[in-house]
Protein backbone atom coordinates (compact mmCIF):
# COMPACT_ATOMS: atom_id res chain seq x y z
CA UNK A 1 0.00 0.00 0.00
CA UNK A 2 1.21 3.44 -0.85
CA UNK A 3 0.76 6.79 0.83
CA UNK A 4 1.11 10.08 -1.00
CA UNK A 5 3.37 12.47 0.93
CA UNK A 6 3.37 15.30 -1.65
CA UNK A 7 0.85 17.43 0.35
CA UNK A 8 2.96 16.95 3.51
CA UNK A 9 6.23 17.88 1.78
CA UNK A 10 4.66 21.16 0.62
CA UNK A 11 4.12 22.12 4.27
CA UNK A 12 6.88 23.54 6.52
CA UNK A 13 9.42 21.15 8.04
CA UNK A 14 7.96 19.76 11.28
CA UNK A 15 4.43 19.43 9.91
CA UNK A 16 2.80 16.07 10.63
CA UNK A 17 0.17 14.06 8.82
CA UNK A 18 -1.65 10.92 9.87
CA UNK A 19 -2.39 7.94 7.68
CA UNK A 20 -4.39 4.82 8.32
CA UNK A 21 -4.15 1.74 6.18
CA UNK A 22 -5.95 -1.56 6.50
CA UNK A 23 -6.88 -4.58 4.44
CA UNK A 24 -8.70 -7.70 5.64
CA UNK A 25 -8.44 -10.20 4.19
CA UNK A 26 -5.37 -9.25 2.15
CA UNK A 27 -5.84 -9.85 -1.57
CA UNK A 28 -2.95 -12.13 -2.62
CA UNK A 29 -2.98 -10.45 -6.04
CA UNK A 30 -3.41 -6.90 -4.75
CA UNK A 31 -0.88 -4.24 -3.83
CA UNK A 32 -0.26 -5.93 -0.46
CA UNK A 33 0.63 -9.29 -1.98
CA UNK A 34 4.10 -8.88 -0.44
CA UNK A 35 2.49 -9.17 2.98
CA UNK A 36 0.86 -12.51 2.20
CA UNK A 37 4.38 -13.82 1.43
CA UNK A 38 5.12 -13.06 5.09
CA UNK A 39 2.04 -15.10 6.03
CA UNK A 40 -0.21 -12.12 6.83
CA UNK A 41 -3.94 -12.50 6.22
CA UNK A 42 -4.92 -9.05 7.49
CA UNK A 43 -3.14 -5.78 8.20
CA UNK A 44 -3.98 -2.56 9.96
CA UNK A 45 -1.53 0.29 10.52
CA UNK A 46 -1.59 3.82 11.94
CA UNK A 47 1.21 6.05 10.78
CA UNK A 48 2.31 9.56 11.66
CA UNK A 49 4.53 11.15 9.01
CA UNK A 50 6.65 14.18 9.88
CA UNK A 51 8.14 16.45 7.23
CA UNK A 52 11.88 16.48 7.96
CA UNK A 53 14.84 18.02 6.16
CA UNK A 54 15.75 14.87 4.25
CA UNK A 55 12.13 13.96 3.50
CA UNK A 56 9.51 12.24 5.65
CA UNK A 57 9.93 10.42 8.95
CA UNK A 58 7.34 7.71 9.46
CA UNK A 59 6.43 6.29 12.82
CA UNK A 60 3.59 3.92 13.45
CA UNK A 61 2.04 0.76 14.74
CA UNK A 62 0.97 -2.22 12.71
CA UNK A 63 -1.30 -5.08 13.68
CA UNK A 64 -1.45 -8.15 11.49
CA UNK A 65 -2.84 -11.65 11.59
CA UNK A 66 -0.44 -14.37 10.51
CA UNK A 67 -1.54 -17.77 9.23
CA UNK A 68 0.80 -20.32 10.76
CA UNK A 69 0.98 -23.86 12.09
CA UNK A 70 1.16 -24.74 15.76
CA UNK A 71 4.78 -25.76 16.31
CA UNK A 72 3.68 -28.71 18.48
CA UNK A 73 0.50 -30.18 16.96
CA UNK A 74 0.82 -28.65 13.45
CA UNK A 75 -2.81 -27.48 13.25
CA UNK A 76 -3.44 -24.27 11.31
CA UNK A 77 -3.66 -21.25 13.58
CA UNK A 78 -3.88 -17.49 13.24
CA UNK A 79 -1.41 -15.53 15.33
CA UNK A 80 -1.94 -11.81 15.97
CA UNK A 81 1.28 -9.82 15.79
CA UNK A 82 2.00 -6.18 16.59
CA UNK A 83 4.92 -4.05 15.53
CA UNK A 84 6.07 -0.53 16.22
CA UNK A 85 8.21 1.01 13.52
CA UNK A 86 10.05 4.23 12.72
CA UNK A 87 11.82 4.96 9.48
CA UNK A 88 13.29 7.95 7.67
CA UNK A 89 12.43 8.24 3.98
CA UNK A 90 14.53 10.46 1.74
CA UNK A 91 13.16 12.76 -0.94
CA UNK A 92 14.81 12.37 -4.32
CA UNK A 93 13.02 15.31 -5.98
CA UNK A 94 12.05 18.67 -4.56
CA UNK A 95 8.25 18.75 -4.43
CA UNK A 96 8.03 22.48 -5.20
CA UNK A 97 10.77 23.02 -7.81
CA UNK A 98 10.83 19.50 -9.28
CA UNK A 99 14.65 19.59 -9.11
CA UNK A 100 16.62 16.49 -8.19
CA UNK A 101 17.77 16.59 -4.58
CA UNK A 102 21.16 15.60 -3.23
CA UNK A 103 21.52 11.81 -3.41
CA UNK A 104 20.49 10.08 -0.18
CA UNK A 105 22.82 7.60 1.58
CA UNK A 106 23.14 4.35 -0.45
CA UNK A 107 21.02 2.15 1.83
CA UNK A 108 18.44 4.85 2.64
CA UNK A 109 14.74 4.34 2.00
CA UNK A 110 13.59 6.66 -0.77
CA UNK A 111 10.42 8.52 -1.61
CA UNK A 112 9.65 7.71 -5.26
CA UNK A 113 9.52 10.41 -7.92
CA UNK A 114 5.70 10.47 -7.69
CA UNK A 115 6.04 11.37 -3.95
CA UNK A 116 4.56 8.09 -2.82
CA UNK A 117 5.95 5.82 -0.16
CA UNK A 118 5.30 2.12 -0.62
CA UNK A 119 4.65 0.82 2.89
CA UNK A 120 4.45 -2.83 1.89
CA UNK A 121 8.21 -3.62 2.13
CA UNK A 122 8.46 -1.90 5.52
CA UNK A 123 5.37 -3.63 6.92
CA UNK A 124 6.51 -6.95 5.52
CA UNK A 125 9.87 -6.62 7.29
CA UNK A 126 8.20 -5.62 10.56
CA UNK A 127 5.69 -8.48 10.38
CA UNK A 128 8.45 -11.04 9.81
CA UNK A 129 10.41 -9.67 12.80
CA UNK A 130 7.30 -9.78 15.01
CA UNK A 131 6.23 -13.29 14.00
CA UNK A 132 6.94 -15.88 16.72
CA UNK A 133 9.31 -18.63 15.61
CA UNK A 134 7.49 -21.38 17.50
CA UNK A 135 3.82 -20.39 17.68
CA UNK A 136 1.41 -22.45 19.74
CA UNK A 137 -2.32 -23.05 19.22
CA UNK A 138 -2.63 -22.61 22.99
CA UNK A 139 0.01 -22.25 25.72
CA UNK A 140 -0.50 -25.79 27.03
CA UNK A 141 -0.72 -27.57 23.67
CA UNK A 142 0.30 -31.18 24.24
CA UNK A 143 1.52 -31.72 20.70
CA UNK A 144 1.73 -34.94 18.75
CA UNK A 145 2.58 -38.31 20.25
CA UNK A 146 6.22 -39.12 19.50
CA UNK A 147 5.38 -42.80 19.19
CA UNK A 148 2.27 -42.88 16.99
CA UNK A 149 1.88 -39.26 15.81
CA UNK A 150 -1.70 -38.83 17.03
CA UNK A 151 -2.76 -35.47 18.48
CA UNK A 152 -2.39 -35.66 22.26
CA UNK A 153 -4.89 -32.80 22.73
CA UNK A 154 -7.65 -34.78 21.06
CA UNK A 155 -6.60 -38.28 22.13
CA UNK A 156 -4.61 -38.17 25.37
CA UNK A 157 -2.91 -41.53 25.73
CA UNK A 158 0.20 -43.35 26.89
CA UNK A 159 2.08 -46.20 25.31
CA UNK A 160 3.38 -49.11 27.34
CA UNK A 161 7.16 -49.21 27.46
CA UNK A 162 8.33 -50.36 24.03
CA UNK A 163 9.19 -54.04 23.94
CA UNK A 164 12.46 -54.61 22.17
CA UNK A 165 14.19 -57.96 21.94
CA UNK A 166 17.64 -56.44 22.67
CA UNK A 167 16.53 -54.87 25.93
CA UNK A 168 14.93 -58.12 27.05
CA UNK A 169 18.22 -59.93 26.55
CA UNK A 170 20.12 -57.20 28.35
CA UNK A 171 17.86 -57.36 31.39
CA UNK A 172 18.37 -61.13 31.54
CA UNK A 173 22.11 -60.51 31.43
CA UNK A 174 21.80 -58.11 34.34
CA UNK A 175 19.88 -60.71 36.28
CA UNK A 176 22.63 -63.21 35.59
CA UNK A 177 25.38 -60.84 36.80
CA UNK A 178 23.66 -58.90 39.57
CA UNK A 179 26.96 -57.45 40.85
CA UNK A 180 27.40 -55.42 37.65
ZN1 LIG B 1 -1.04 -27.10 19.08
ZN1 LIG C 1 0.70 -42.41 20.66
Amino acid sequence: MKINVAPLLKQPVGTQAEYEVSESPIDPRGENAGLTEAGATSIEADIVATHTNPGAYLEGDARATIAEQCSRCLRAIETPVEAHFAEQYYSTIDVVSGDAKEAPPPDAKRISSDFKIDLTPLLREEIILATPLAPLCRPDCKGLCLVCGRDLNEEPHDHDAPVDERWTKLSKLKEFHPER
Side-chain angles (χ1 to χ4, degrees):
M1 54 186 75
K2 292 181 179 177
I3 57 170
N4 181 4
V5 292
L8 175 71
L9 298 178
K10 286 174 186 163
Q11 300 297 314
V13 166
T15 304
Q16 294 190 319
E18 288 179 21
Y19 301 86
E20 270 180 45
V21 293
S22 72
E23 190 179 7
S24 177
I26 296 172
D27 179 357
R29 285 178 304 277
E31 61 174 2
N32 287 320
L35 299 181
T36 61
E37 286 161 22
T41 54
S42 75
I43 180 79
E44 205 182 277
D46 305 307
I47 299 132
V48 176
T50 307
H51 184 191
T52 55
N53 265 325
Y57 181 77
L58 267 51
E59 194 170 2
D61 291 289
R63 289 162 298 280
T65 308
I66 311 293
E68 287 187 299
Q69 268 189 334
C70 172
S71 58
R72 287 189 198 151
C73 73
L74 308 181
R75 78 180 64 189
I77 52 169
E78 295 218 308
T79 311
V81 299
E82 286 187 12
H84 182 81
F85 54 88
E87 194 74 54
Q88 175 69 53
Y89 285 80
Y90 288 75
S91 298
T92 48
I93 294 173
D94 187 283
V95 73
V96 178
S97 67
D99 294 339
K101 293 189 69 162
E102 200 182 312
D107 56 350
K109 296 212 161 39
R110 292 146 196 262
I111 300 171
S112 63
S113 54
D114 59 359
F115 305 105
K116 285 180 180 162
I117 294 176
D118 185 3
L119 294 172
T120 307
L122 174 68
L123 293 174
R124 183 175 181 277
E125 209 173 289
E126 295 297 334
I127 286 170
I128 291 171
L129 288 175
T131 300
L133 288 176
L136 295 175
C137 61
R138 57 179 206 235
D140 63 343
C141 172
K142 295 184 170 52
L144 301 178
C145 173
L146 293 173
V147 177
C148 70
R150 280 184 292 164
D151 190 330
L152 290 169
N153 301 299
E154 287 168 3
E155 297 176 66
H157 64 276
D158 277 321
H159 290 273
D160 294 331
V163 180
D164 186 311
E165 190 69 5
R166 287 167 299 176
W167 298 117
T168 318
K169 280 178 185 159
L170 198 70
S171 61
K172 276 183 188 145
L173 219 66
K174 272 185 190 159
E175 279 161 30
F176 193 69
H177 301 287
E179 75 275 12
R180 285 187 192 174

